[in-house]
Amino acid sequence: MRNVARFPLDDGSTVTVALSKELRDLDGYRDVSLMGDRQYDGSTSLNQAMDQIRRVANAVVDPLTHITPRPDDVEVAFGVEMDVEAGAVIAAGGSDGHFQVRLRWKSQDGAEER
């Protein structure tokens, strides 16, 4: 049995995402095959979910760009999972969500210092 979720796009089309776990207790599914496959409709659009991710990324990166001395490069990595009810959520690493942050400063001659 496979479970998928459909998330609407702003242009009216949809994107279908395979779900990694079964959601037996979730209302709003449709049986879509004789093999027991189910389809859920996401409660938010993919565009709205990506707006959430942009806001999170800005909230993490912005304070890091104000460090003194200012880093030449700021890199933040985090996983994103699509949830049928919540939209985009930060992927958990174990039992907690997490971010990887890398800051780089370059010396005057352009060689990487740290």
Side-chain angles (χ1 to χ4, degrees):
M1 174 170 40
R2 193 172 85 161
N3 294 303
V4 297
R6 285 187 333 163
F7 293 93
L9 300 174
D10 284 350
D11 67 2
S13 62
T14 60
V15 63
T16 302
V17 177
L19 301 177
S20 60
K21 56 187 170 188
E22 187 171 338
L23 303 171
R24 291 181 189 266
D25 299 329
L26 187 64
D27 292 331
Y29 71 86
R30 274 190 305 281
D31 290 320
V32 292
S33 79
L34 296 175
M35 304 297 292
D37 295 345
R38 291 181 172 170
Q39 177 180 296
Y40 300 84
D41 289 324
S43 61
T44 186
S45 76
L46 185 61
N47 300 85
Q48 290 169 322
M50 291 300 102
D51 285 342
Q52 289 175 305
I53 296 306
R54 277 190 283 279
R55 286 192 299 274
V56 168
N58 286 334
V60 172
V61 171
D62 187 56
L64 298 173
T65 62
H66 294 90
I67 294 172
T68 304
R70 184 180 174 138
D72 293 302
D73 295 308
V74 175
E75 180 180 314
V76 176
F78 55 94
V80 176
E81 294 180 357
M82 291 301 295
D83 184 271
V84 174
E85 296 178 304
V89 295
I90 305 303
S95 62
D96 298 320
H98 70 282
F99 296 91
Q100 285 183 313
V101 176
R102 179 177 292 163
L103 305 174
R104 291 190 194 116
W105 290 265
K106 295 180 181 166
S107 66
Q108 296 294 345
D109 63 6
E112 191 170 304
E113 281 186 2
R114 326 177 214 182

